[in-house]
Amino acid sequence: MTQYLISFEDGAMDVTEEELPEVADDAHAVVQEAKDAGVFVFSGGLDYSRRHAVVATDGGVVTDGPYPETKELIGGLMVVDVPTFEAALEWAAKVAAACRCAQDVREFFPFRRPELERPR
């Protein structure tokens, strides 16, 4: 199996405050479906109103937030562990319908150390 990141940009969900409860219910239903199917790894949304920082490669320099020139920020994500890219696209379609926005699908590099893989 291969892990895929399904994500959307911050601000991509164009829904009203009144629609948010239904969108949240639909998104939670997709997560539960993925759990029931045994393909769920992780999901979550990112809150850019909270404190965040960028740590430099030397580990000593910390700056607030993403670099100002960054145009795209991840707003939400789900990681699934499925046998094919096509299967990842099927899950992305479900997430897109639930969240009412397009999803980006990317494959993670495969694990090379069995001791780091999550147990089945």
Side-chain angles (χ1 to χ4, degrees):
M1 299 274 263
T2 303
Q3 291 184 348
Y4 293 89
L5 171 68
I6 301 170
S7 64
F8 60 90
E9 291 180 27
D10 184 47
M13 290 177 63
D14 188 22
V15 297
T16 65
E17 283 289 324
E18 294 78 28
E19 295 171 305
L20 279 177
E22 181 181 355
V23 170
D25 288 346
D26 291 349
H28 288 129
V30 172
V31 168
Q32 188 59 55
E33 183 181 353
K35 287 179 179 179
D36 293 345
V39 301
F40 179 83
V41 177
F42 176 81
S43 68
L46 300 175
D47 183 354
Y48 288 99
S49 69
R50 302 270 185 186
R51 187 173 181 195
H52 56 283
V54 176
V55 179
T57 56
D58 66 6
V61 179
V62 178
T63 59
D64 287 339
Y67 295 111
E69 63 271 10
T70 299
K71 291 181 177 35
E72 296 178 4
L73 300 171
I74 293 176
L77 61 99
M78 181 173 175
V79 178
V80 294
D81 193 8
V82 293
T84 65
F85 183 73
E86 290 72 22
L89 293 178
E90 290 174 13
W91 283 104
K94 294 176 185 191
V95 175
C99 294
R100 281 68 162 180
C101 62
Q103 301 294 308
D104 182 30
V105 180
R106 297 177 187 252
E107 184 176 333
F108 281 97
F109 285 114
F111 283 112
R112 292 193 168 72
R113 294 177 52 194
E115 70 272 15
L116 296 180
E117 291 189 32
R118 65 186 175 101
R120 290 268 173 210

